[in-house]
Amino acid sequence: MTKRYLALAMLASALWGASYPITYLALGLYRINELIALSYLFSTVLLLIASLFHGYDEKSIIKGLLLSPINYAIVYLYTDLSGGVGGLTALVSSSYIIPLIILDYINNRSINVRYLVSAITLLGALYLLFQGYGDSIYVALLLMVMNFVYTIALAGINDIDIINFVLGQSLGTLIISYLIIRNPLVLALGLDNPYYPLILALVGNVIPYMLYAESIRQIGPVETSLTSSMETISSLIASLPIQRLPMNSVAWILLIISILSLNIELNRNNVWRKPRLMSYYLPMQVNEEIVSSPNIAPKSYVTFINPHLMTRVVGKRKVI
């Protein structure tokens, strides 16, 4: 079950990565807020249609609306930086994973080694892949804060219907971008060439946000965020028509290790979490039954016990 939601989180990250070169090409036709407004207009329409069959949940829509200002800030910054992300922005904006790991340690009082390995290899790969660190530290820090706040807020929201939540978030982002444009004719004229906004609505918003939100609910914000290694890989591969693939072999190895460190540990955990309680029995003791009649030989009985049900006390904790 856990592996399935990890795969969904990786798919969400891969879709976001693929949306970056599409956004870069779309900016040749639209301004930033025009592109955001059009893509979120399509997103809202698609989600409204889905909600007709799925059903409406007003509380989830309201929660999505409340989170939409943060989502708008993130979408605007990434759209503005599309095609020109420098090493500083790539490294710092993804460093929100570090405070997530710290919070996980505070909550669980233990250090998850695979989180550390995945985070270190991911950030190391970003440092090596994206050359040129002259971009603004303020934009990079703002992105890091926005990513962190959004992830924590999404992890803290309970009892939501994913489709209605993303609908509310899309509607709020659409309203904000539309108010900034202040020209209703822009959306009407933009519909003459709807291909880029429609693709971004699916690849950059509706599908990945639903997968991301569900993954956070099932496997937590740290594990979900660490799948951004897939986002980096897919963005680089999808950008091949407009730029060369970075040939730093060490960085690619680190990205692969970042992904594998999540999957390998999950396989181990699945083996140990679910022992077979009825797998085998061991003979533990031979008891002699002594009878009073001298003509009847004593009978021996072998007592069997399931080793998984044996208990022992270590300190104050009972280990089963």
Side-chain angles (χ1 to χ4, degrees):
M1 184 68 70
T2 304
K3 290 177 64 178
R4 183 178 73 179
Y5 289 109
L6 181 64
L8 293 180
M10 289 184 178
L11 177 58
S13 295
L15 290 174
W16 270 320
S19 70
Y20 295 150
I22 299 173
T23 302
Y24 174 76
L25 295 174
L27 288 175
L29 300 174
Y30 305 99
R31 296 178 181 177
I32 294 177
N33 275 300
E34 294 174 2
L35 181 60
I36 295 174
L38 285 170
S39 63
Y40 274 85
L41 174 62
F42 283 116
S43 298
T44 304
V45 172
L46 291 172
L47 289 166
L48 279 172
I49 295 173
S51 296
L52 288 175
F53 299 94
H54 178 74
Y56 289 101
D57 181 59
E58 292 80 4
K59 291 182 179 180
S60 298
I61 294 175
I62 292 173
K63 291 177 181 179
L65 283 169
L66 293 175
L67 203 56
S68 61
I70 301 175
N71 180 65
Y72 171 79
I74 294 174
V75 171
Y76 183 91
L77 290 172
Y78 275 117
T79 304
D80 186 33
L81 293 169
S82 180
V85 177
L88 184 64
T89 301
L91 180 63
V92 175
S93 63
S94 298
S95 297
Y96 75 98
I97 294 171
I98 295 176
L100 285 180
I101 294 176
I102 294 174
L103 285 178
D104 180 73
Y105 170 75
I106 294 173
N107 292 330
N108 299 315
R109 295 299 179 182
S110 62
I111 297 176
N112 193 313
V113 176
R114 66 190 178 96
Y115 289 170
L116 290 178
V117 172
S118 185
I120 292 172
T121 51
L122 169 61
L123 296 177
L126 293 176
Y127 178 82
L128 295 173
L129 277 175
F130 296 95
Q131 302 301 318
Y133 293 87
D135 35 341
S136 173
I137 183 63
Y138 302 107
V139 174
L141 286 173
L142 181 59
L143 258 179
M144 182 187 73
V145 172
M146 290 293 102
N147 283 329
F148 177 73
V149 172
Y150 180 85
T151 304
I152 290 297
L154 187 56
I157 296 177
N158 298 318
D159 301 325
I160 60 170
D161 179 80
I162 299 299
I163 293 178
N164 285 279
F165 172 79
V166 179
L167 170 60
Q169 179 177 273
S170 300
L171 179 60
T173 305
L174 169 63
I175 293 173
I176 294 172
S177 58
Y178 181 76
L179 290 175
I180 293 176
I181 294 174
R182 296 181 181 179
N183 186 358
L185 293 177
V186 171
L187 296 181
L189 294 174
L191 294 176
D192 294 336
N193 191 11
Y195 305 107
Y196 284 128
L198 180 58
I199 294 173
L200 287 175
L202 291 170
V203 176
N205 181 35
V206 174
I207 299 176
Y209 269 118
M210 287 196 298
L211 297 178
Y212 188 80
E214 184 62 27
S215 299
I216 284 183
R217 291 175 62 187
Q218 299 296 333
I219 62 177
V222 180
E223 194 130 24
T224 302
S225 299
L226 285 171
T227 59
S228 58
S229 301
M230 287 298 302
E231 184 175 336
T232 302
I233 293 174
S234 66
S235 66
L236 293 173
I237 294 176
S239 300
L240 281 175
I242 57 178
Q243 69 178 15
R244 296 178 59 185
L245 195 67
M247 300 306 295
N248 192 317
S249 57
V250 176
W252 286 99
I253 292 173
L254 290 177
L255 284 176
I256 294 173
I257 293 175
S258 178
I259 296 172
L260 290 179
S261 62
L262 296 176
N263 289 277
I264 292 174
E265 188 66 21
L266 279 174
N267 291 335
R268 255 183 84 189
N269 285 344
N270 287 339
V271 172
W272 290 102
R273 279 178 187 168
K274 299 179 180 179
R276 295 183 178 179
L277 294 181
M278 302 300 293
S279 57
Y280 61 91
Y281 294 86
L282 293 178
M284 297 299 295
Q285 181 181 358
V286 177
N287 296 326
E288 297 285 344
E289 181 183 1
I290 301 175
V291 295
S292 58
S293 177
N295 297 323
I296 301 176
K299 296 181 180 179
S300 298
Y301 296 94
V302 180
T303 301
F304 292 88
I305 188 169
N306 187 336
H308 291 294
L309 299 180
M310 291 193 306
T311 62
R312 60 190 177 88
V313 177
V314 180
K316 297 182 179 179
R317 300 178 63 187
K318 180 183 289 187
V319 180
I320 296 178

